[in-house]
Amino acid sequence: MSDQLELYDVTIIGGGPAGMYTAFYSGMRDLKTKLIEAKEELGGRMLIYPEKMIWDVGGVTPTLCHQLIKQLKEQAMTFEPTIVLGQQITGQELQEDGTYILTSASGEKHWTRTVILAIGYGILQMAKLEIEGANRYEVTNLHYTVQELEPFRGKHVLISGGGDSAVDWANELEPIAASVTVVHRRERFGGHEKNIARMKSSSVEVRVPYALTQLHSSNGETIDQVTISHVETGETEVFAVDAIIVNHGLKHDFGPLREWGLDMGEWCANVSDKLETNLPGVFAAGDFVDYSSKVRLIAGTFTDAVLALNSAKLYIDPTADKVAYVSSHNDRFKEKNKALGVVDDH
């Protein structure tokens, strides 16, 4: 089978920020690189929140998520890796020569010296609102993500949930909506402390501990009122809304990956400080990994990518440099700098 396939040095599984930055850095290290993404586009979990403002990437001023995805895509393509979309890798087989044959759910095969798993939390699905008949309103004014802010301008918006995204959406919508009400089952909110403080100090009305329990429609097509219930006393309130955003988290599914023999916890693979898994030649990066100093930010994901790729490079060639030269001294960038009109005097 391998005789019919093209051999790659590195195959990255997952096209989110970890996977895209790994593809870029793999090019810096002059490795033949393939990236395989299960969806039909790159971006990973970031695709769920295109209008979310990203503040915490070093050297990047506040940037909308969809713009950061665009920039990461452009950077990932710097050294022209092979990109494969719409294939979910389900199987792997270690060959006698130490290479791997990867198999997709639809039967395609890929041959590689090393594998870097950048799959986040696996296949993601939004947790749906558990109210009978709620799905009928998904085509009108019941939302599980915010693709654009403008449709909510001047609207009375209710957000159900208390995670990072619910807080972010409340803060983003507060300046343009007629009103924003956040309903959460617990007193404590998830997310960054500063964002929570910003939400609570604004005009956003925070109702805790309450749950969204009923949807009401006068025309059968759109929700115009909701009932919320106090989770401890059962006391209920009914009020008018124009739109509802539900953020009850994500359901994660790793599928057959759990059968690979990886050392995994409930949501993450346990890796060494060099981002090595317990499988030879298989490394991991991003939200999929857990280790003692793990930083769960996009910035931390970039560091994971570098560490995993450097480990893959040394696995292939133990005599290689431990890290790549910085871009200002890296021969891979000399011609690219010339194309940009940059004269390198050093």
Side-chain angles (χ1 to χ4, degrees), residues 76-292:
M77 298 306 297
T78 301
F79 299 105
E80 300 178 349
T82 296
I83 304 294
V84 178
L85 300 176
Q87 288 190 29
Q88 181 188 1
I89 297 300
T90 54
Q92 56 81 14
E93 185 178 351
L94 181 62
Q95 307 299 292
E96 290 184 2
D97 62 359
T99 62
Y100 280 92
I101 300 291
L102 304 175
T103 306
S104 75
S106 47
E108 293 88 354
K109 304 284 186 180
H110 304 272
W111 189 22
T112 186
R113 299 183 195 279
T114 62
V115 178
I116 296 180
L117 298 170
I119 59 174
Y121 295 108
I123 302 299
L124 300 177
Q125 291 183 328
M126 288 288 192
K128 295 296 187 76
L129 186 62
E130 295 181 354
I131 295 178
E132 186 176 356
N135 61 326
R136 77 179 70 170
Y137 304 112
E138 292 177 14
V139 296
T140 54
N141 63 339
L142 175 61
H143 310 272
Y144 289 98
T145 187
V146 176
Q147 298 293 325
E148 297 179 53
L149 296 177
E150 194 58 30
F152 298 93
R153 182 175 295 277
K155 301 289 182 64
H156 296 280
V157 182
L158 179 136
I159 299 174
S160 178
D164 191 36
S165 294
V167 173
D168 287 344
W169 285 333
N171 286 331
E172 295 295 331
L173 290 172
E174 188 266 343
I176 67 169
S179 68
V180 176
T181 302
V182 176
V183 175
H184 185 36
R185 298 182 63 88
R186 291 178 288 278
E187 298 281 348
R188 182 178 177 84
F189 282 83
H192 299 299
E193 294 95 333
K194 191 171 186 65
N195 294 338
I196 296 169
R198 176 187 167 195
M199 176 185 71
K200 290 183 175 180
S201 65
S202 70
S203 67
V204 173
E205 183 178 2
V206 177
R207 305 300 302 275
V208 292
Y210 276 86
L212 177 60
T213 51
Q214 292 185 59
L215 308 175
H216 310 285
S217 173
S218 58
N219 59 15
E221 296 180 358
T222 58
I223 303 162
D224 45 43
Q225 287 185 317
V226 297
T227 298
I228 64 172
S229 302
H230 195 284
V231 298
E232 296 171 357
T233 66
E235 179 185 0
T236 63
E237 294 182 42
V238 178
F239 57 92
V241 296
D242 298 312
I244 297 173
I245 301 169
V246 176
N247 177 233
H248 291 178
L250 296 164
K251 293 182 178 179
H252 313 285
D253 182 12
F254 290 112
L257 189 76
R258 286 198 176 274
E259 301 170 10
W260 285 23
L262 289 163
D263 177 13
M264 289 182 64
E266 184 178 3
W267 300 120
C268 301
N270 298 311
V271 296
S272 72
D273 58 0
K274 296 179 181 178
L275 281 296
E276 303 159 310
T277 73
N278 60 306
L279 301 183
V282 179
F283 309 90
D287 284 338
F288 181 57
V289 305
D290 192 28
Y291 55 99
S292 61

Side-chain angles (χ1 to χ4, degrees), residues 332-345:
R332 300 281 285 167
F333 288 98
K334 287 185 177 179
E335 291 302 317
K336 295 184 179 297
N337 287 342
K338 289 180 182 178
L340 292 171
V342 176
V343 178
D344 187 355
D345 294 327

